[in-house]
Amino acid sequence: MTARAGNPSVGDESRMHPLDAFMAALASRRLFCDGWGDEETFAGAPLSGRLAATVSPLEVRWGAEQAAGRRRFRDGAFDSPWVALPSEVRLGSVRWMTSERGRGRDACVVLAASRDEGFRLRSWLFAPLVEEGVDLFLLENPYYGTRRALGQKGPHIRTVSEQLQMNIASIEEARALVAHARREGYERVAVAGYSMGGYMAALTAATIPEPVGVAALAAGASPAPVFTKGVHSRSIDFRRLAGSPDDTEARARLATILDAASARLLPPPVKPSAAVILACARDAFVPLAEARALHAHWPGSELRIVDAGHISAVITSGAALRGAIRDAVHRSGT
């Protein structure tokens, strides 16, 4: 179900979906448990100045093709183009999925949401697209799954600097995977993701100097409100970041750091008409206002709103999520 853009935002918790509230209650405050990390990561050039000036196709070392019901897949390894990662994190992992009938004409690079390790969830949610001729490249994020850092326990990012390194590396890897797909002969290519993956997809599309489709799902213009104001902020021990009971300055500093990676600081994608932004009307994690802000910054993009929460949309709105990717792919053609 798609709602009109006039629906109210969920800035107040009265509109919060019950499943979002339940997940928020389980927050363990383990995010950034080791503090700010390497503070040099916060300084220097803005995001656009840190990325490579040119995008080279990712060189993937593919394994054997395997069957999975009506689909086939291959897992691949690669060396991340973002060389600042620790060696064990820099060794990347990607899964390519296609139909048993053979390779499709289109492709989409699908990025991971927060704490999304491996490929199971995205395969379950998005694999039906391969039956429609859209092959998938599922990227495993740095610091997740097989790419955890030494001493890292679980999918919890230990420092703010590791979060930024993850985000920059994900963008570089996604850009390189898009270039890889084009070199492989796919006619239309898009990049997509849910939640954090949606933010990274938006930034990826905005930094590719040629037309590419983008489906930013349950995401918006900036991650700052998500980490400092939304229910996701309950996962962060701000008092530990602040070093005192008063966390006001720590919240403000984190917001400033994260807002430096806002999509509003980058130009729109080359073809904004190939951008589909899907927001959740009862989202307690990502404010609806952030999706509207991204839509406003990308003239010609489409904003869709589903009547769901951030967590429940994955369960109840799969068809709408896949539809956003499908349309972004189809619109990416020149």
Side-chain angles (χ1 to χ4, degrees), residues 48-172:
S48 58
R50 299 189 185 199
L51 301 175
T54 58
V55 181
S56 299
L58 198 64
E59 299 297 335
V60 183
R61 303 178 290 276
W62 292 107
E65 191 168 298
Q66 303 178 58
R70 295 176 298 169
R71 297 151 195 151
R72 303 188 70 82
F73 70 91
R74 297 175 73 185
D75 289 338
F78 61 88
D79 297 318
S80 175
W82 186 246
V83 298
L85 293 172
S87 58
E88 71 277 11
V89 179
R90 193 182 174 203
L91 180 61
S93 178
V94 60
R95 174 167 291 182
W96 170 76
M97 300 189 70
T98 191
S99 168
E100 64 177 356
R101 298 190 303 271
R103 207 183 83 165
R105 60 179 292 213
D106 303 324
C108 185
V109 175
V110 185
L111 306 182
S114 296
R115 301 185 179 92
D116 181 9
E117 297 192 299
F119 308 115
R120 180 175 299 179
L121 177 60
R122 282 174 289 165
S123 295
W124 168 76
L125 189 57
F126 300 121
L129 286 167
V130 305
E131 306 301 322
E132 304 176 28
V134 181
D135 289 355
L136 303 179
F137 291 89
L138 309 179
L139 178 68
E140 180 153 69
N141 271 21
Y143 297 99
Y144 285 170
T146 60
R147 305 183 68 180
R148 289 184 190 174
L150 293 176
Q152 181 181 348
K153 297 179 181 179
H156 306 287
I157 305 304
R158 299 171 298 184
T159 65
V160 176
S161 63
E162 283 187 350
Q163 178 73 42
L164 298 184
Q165 293 282 16
M166 171 202 276
N167 295 153
I168 296 172
S170 296
I171 296 169
E172 285 284 45

Side-chain angles (χ1 to χ4, degrees), residues 8 18 40 125 137 152 206 228 230 255 274 290 294 309 321 329 332:
E40 290 187 3
L125 189 57
F137 291 89
Q152 181 181 348
T228 61
E290 283 299 310
L294 182 61
L321 301 177
V329 170
S332 67

